[in-house]
Amino acid sequence: MSGETACEVVISGGGPVGLCTALLLARAGISVALFEAEAGIAEDLRASTFHPPTLDMLEPLGITAVLLDQGLICPHWQIRLHPAGDRAVFDLSVLAGHTRHPYRLQVEQWKLSRALHAALAKEPTARISFGTTVVGVRQDHDGVVTEIERAGTRATVRSRFAVGADGSRSAVRKTIGMPFEGETYPETTLLVTTRFPFEDHLEGLSNVTYCWKQGGNFSLLKVPGRWRVSIYPREDLTPEEQLADALIQASMNDIVPRREPWELGEMRAYRVHQRIVPAYCRGRVALAGDAAHLNSPSGGMGLNGGLHDAFELAGALVDMLRRGASLERLSLYDRRRRPIARDQIIAQADRNRARMREKDHDKRAGMLAELKAICADRERLRSYLLTSSMIDGLRQAAAIT
């Protein structure tokens, strides 16, 4: 394999993980080419929760300030019995001293992508190509050739390294022969938006609230101007029946009964996966974000974990391209991020899901009593939130050498 190197790093995927990785590299003076199959940044229903350490990490890039201007600060979140209203409220202010941002920020993922794209567009060493699909990669001892397709025409780009940040169906992951092991949960999640003011009808509601209801559960997450509602239709129905308007209206009436129909905005149905690759790297190709790991959205850790991948991976690439580190540096990226994704992010999200899927009234009552006891004890609460806010996981990763 031969040919002139067009750039130092090729990135497949123009979501937040790919854009963040590219910006970090470009700010270090590294030439980077990013390819995204979509025509631009889609304003769709994706993640919306940013944890404290993620805001800390994005701050030096100038991104946190942009998100704060467009988002909604969430000083506490809760787990709640509905309709009774008995709840455990997790006050994030106890994290002061461990983070510069002792709160969650609720803001749509696409706003992050737009902020990263705007910053990246100003970097002279970065090239961004929308409407361009990465078909696959192949590599030799000193470089990677990425095959791309745009408007029916194929071409290749040679680089020193390549990054697959191209999501759960990653072409990069597939062409390097990396398995994606795990499972798909049986339930369908339906995410809808509404401008209905739940806070005026449910006393003491937090901007992030996970609720048990009779025979099921739902969640309410507020972003500026609207609520995002996750509901779980009956599993004995077909997908078409689950998405029927009458069933959705009934699910919304379980939250706040109304005589008039609910006015709903965006709607997205999806299945949840729990998967991870056996290694984050193969040779000069590395994976990050959803291309490397998937987890339940319960707890809001997927996007955050992907961004944490971006920072660690960018650091590894800078070390190799600018500081003389060997290819072994990528194995440190794997050792720092994959165990945290497996044992912290995926495991924690799975426990959160299992807790909210519990239907037994007595077991729910016991869980809630324990959570309220944690919230009432400042030291226990701090310990709990250091883990659930992903601070402990990052500290554990940093200690790995």
Side-chain angles (χ1 to χ4, degrees):
M1 188 184 301
S2 62
E4 183 180 350
T5 298
C7 63
E8 292 173 287
V9 180
V10 161
I11 297 175
S12 175
V17 176
L19 288 166
C20 186
T21 306
L23 181 59
L24 289 163
L25 294 174
R27 290 278 175 89
I30 290 170
S31 59
V32 56
L34 183 147
F35 300 103
E36 166 56 43
E38 297 297 324
I41 295 170
E43 297 184 11
D44 53 2
L45 285 174
R46 299 285 176 178
S48 65
T49 294
F50 291 82
H51 286 295
T54 308
L55 297 172
D56 292 345
M57 296 164 81
L58 291 171
E59 189 172 35
L61 295 175
I63 301 299
T64 296
V66 177
L67 296 179
L68 286 170
D69 284 344
Q70 300 181 61
L72 189 66
I73 287 177
C74 181
H76 49 76
W77 58 275
Q78 65 183 252
I79 295 176
R80 181 183 184 109
L81 277 174
H82 183 76
D86 194 16
R87 56 195 176 272
V89 180
F90 297 82
D91 180 2
L92 290 154
S93 69
V94 300
L95 295 178
H98 296 271
T99 172
R100 294 185 299 279
H101 304 87
Y103 46 80
R104 288 187 180 186
L105 184 69
Q106 287 298 113
V107 61
E108 299 91 335
Q109 174 179 306
W110 61 263
K111 292 179 179 176
L112 167 65
S113 293
R114 289 199 179 278
L116 290 167
H117 178 258
L120 187 60
K122 298 175 183 177
E123 296 297 327
T125 62
R127 177 162 60 97
I128 311 163
S129 299
F130 287 104
T132 306
T133 301
V134 169
V135 178
V137 296
R138 61 186 189 273
Q139 59 183 311
D140 58 21
H141 68 283
D142 63 355
V144 183
V145 171
T146 300
E147 185 175 6
I148 59 174
E149 181 175 318
R150 180 180 177 85
T153 300
R154 291 200 175 190
T156 58
V157 180
R158 186 172 178 85
S159 60
R160 297 280 304 282
F161 296 93
V163 173
D166 46 349
S168 61
R169 296 180 176 88
S170 171
V172 173
R173 186 187 65 238
K174 291 173 183 176
T175 58
I176 64 172
M178 193 70 72
F180 206 27
E181 300 158 346
E183 63 177 317
T184 300
Y185 293 125
E187 68 267 14
T188 296
T189 302
L190 182 60
L191 179 59
V192 301
T193 64
T194 178
R195 296 187 181 278
F196 181 81
F198 287 106
E199 64 273 27
D200 294 341
H201 297 265
L202 301 175
E203 187 263 331
L205 197 65
S206 297
N207 291 336
V208 173
T209 298
Y210 305 99
C211 300
W212 283 302
K213 70 172 185 177
Q214 180 65 38
N217 64 294
F218 63 91
S219 65
L220 300 171
L221 282 72
K222 192 174 185 182
V223 293
R226 57 185 176 167
W227 285 88
R228 294 162 54 106
V229 186
S230 292
I231 55 181
Y232 302 89
R234 287 166 41 194
E235 294 171 26
D236 60 337
L237 302 177
T238 67
E240 293 75 20
E241 290 171 328
Q242 290 178 339
L243 296 175
D245 182 69
L247 190 65
I248 296 170
Q249 291 285 328
S251 295
M252 296 297 289
N253 280 326
D254 282 346
I255 303 173
V256 176
R258 303 180 72 208
R259 292 183 178 178
E260 61 271 32
W262 284 83
E263 293 184 11
L264 303 176
E266 301 154 287
M267 187 178 303
R268 177 188 172 213
Y270 61 93
R271 298 285 295 277
V272 173
H273 308 270
Q274 176 178 272
R275 299 184 185 279
I276 192 167
V277 291
Y280 274 26
C281 310
R282 180 156 288 170
R284 291 177 171 270
V285 180
L287 303 171
D290 287 354
H293 52 86
L294 293 172
N295 57 270
S296 165
S298 186
M301 291 181 287
L303 170 61
N304 291 266
L307 291 170
H308 300 172
D309 291 346
F311 276 85
E312 183 64 40
L313 176 55
L317 291 167
V318 171
D319 283 349
M320 290 184 293
L321 290 167
R322 292 293 182 270
R323 302 185 182 120
S326 70
L327 195 59
E328 178 64 20
R329 178 64 177 83
L330 279 179
S331 71
L332 178 58
Y333 164 63
D334 175 83
R335 296 197 306 275
R336 283 180 169 172
R337 292 305 307 156
R338 197 169 67 88
I340 298 304
R342 182 191 62 215
D343 302 333
Q344 294 269 342
I345 297 174
I346 291 176
Q348 217 179 137
D350 187 57
R351 289 193 297 270
N352 291 341
R353 169 192 171 271
R355 177 177 59 210
M356 296 314 300
R357 297 289 293 172
E358 179 56 61
K359 294 180 174 62
D360 183 89
H361 175 77
D362 291 338
K363 289 181 180 178
R364 286 177 172 181
M367 290 176 181
L368 186 60
E370 173 59 18
L371 293 171
K372 290 172 71 174
I374 290 171
C375 292
D377 183 321
R378 192 172 180 85
E379 290 306 314
R380 291 184 69 194
L381 177 60
R382 181 181 293 109
S383 177
Y384 186 94
L385 290 176
L386 283 170
T387 298
S388 65
S389 295
M390 309 180 78
I391 295 173
D392 274 347
L394 284 164
R395 290 174 175 174
Q396 291 171 26
I400 296 171
T401 58

